[in-house]
Amino acid sequence: MSDVALDDRGRLTLPKEVRERYGDRYHVVQLSDGVKLVPVADDPLEALRDEFEDVEKSADELREEARNAALDEAGR
């Protein structure tokens, strides 16, 4: 971990090691106790495909399972 500071124009410079590992684009997420930088993939759609390549169910099947789980949790 390293400390960084904003410059006089409000810019934040991340250490080279961070940029090399996570890239140059980030979502800034505001939390109740601070902020979080979430790396954005160069090709977000390809990153999603890679993340879910081993999922064998269709989107409709996944949606139905999520709906049923939510209904069960709500006390159907």
Side-chain angles (χ1 to χ4, degrees), residues 26-47:
Y26 298 84
H27 287 292
V28 177
V29 180
Q30 296 180 25
L31 305 171
S32 60
D33 59 345
V35 295
K36 179 177 183 177
L37 298 177
V38 179
V40 175
D42 290 334
D43 184 350
L45 186 55
E46 185 63 30

Side-chain angles (χ1 to χ4, degrees), residues 44-57 62:
L45 186 55
E46 185 63 30
L48 280 174
R49 286 185 182 123
D50 290 344
E51 184 70 25
F52 293 100
E53 69 183 348
D54 60 340
V55 175
E56 297 179 5
K57 296 179 182 180
L62 293 170

Side-chain angles (χ1 to χ4, degrees), residues 7-39:
D7 68 10
D8 59 342
R9 293 181 59 192
R11 295 176 296 195
L12 180 72
T13 302
L14 297 175
K16 181 179 178 182
E17 299 81 30
V18 173
R19 295 189 316 269
E20 287 175 344
R21 182 171 181 183
Y22 298 106
D24 296 326
R25 298 193 59 218
Y26 298 84
H27 287 292
V28 177
V29 180
Q30 296 180 25
L31 305 171
S32 60
D33 59 345
V35 295
K36 179 177 183 177
L37 298 177
V38 179

Side-chain angles (χ1 to χ4, degrees), residues 57-67:
K57 296 179 182 180
S58 71
D60 288 336
E61 291 171 319
L62 293 170
R63 188 177 301 112
E64 182 66 22
E65 284 182 13
R67 181 181 179 279

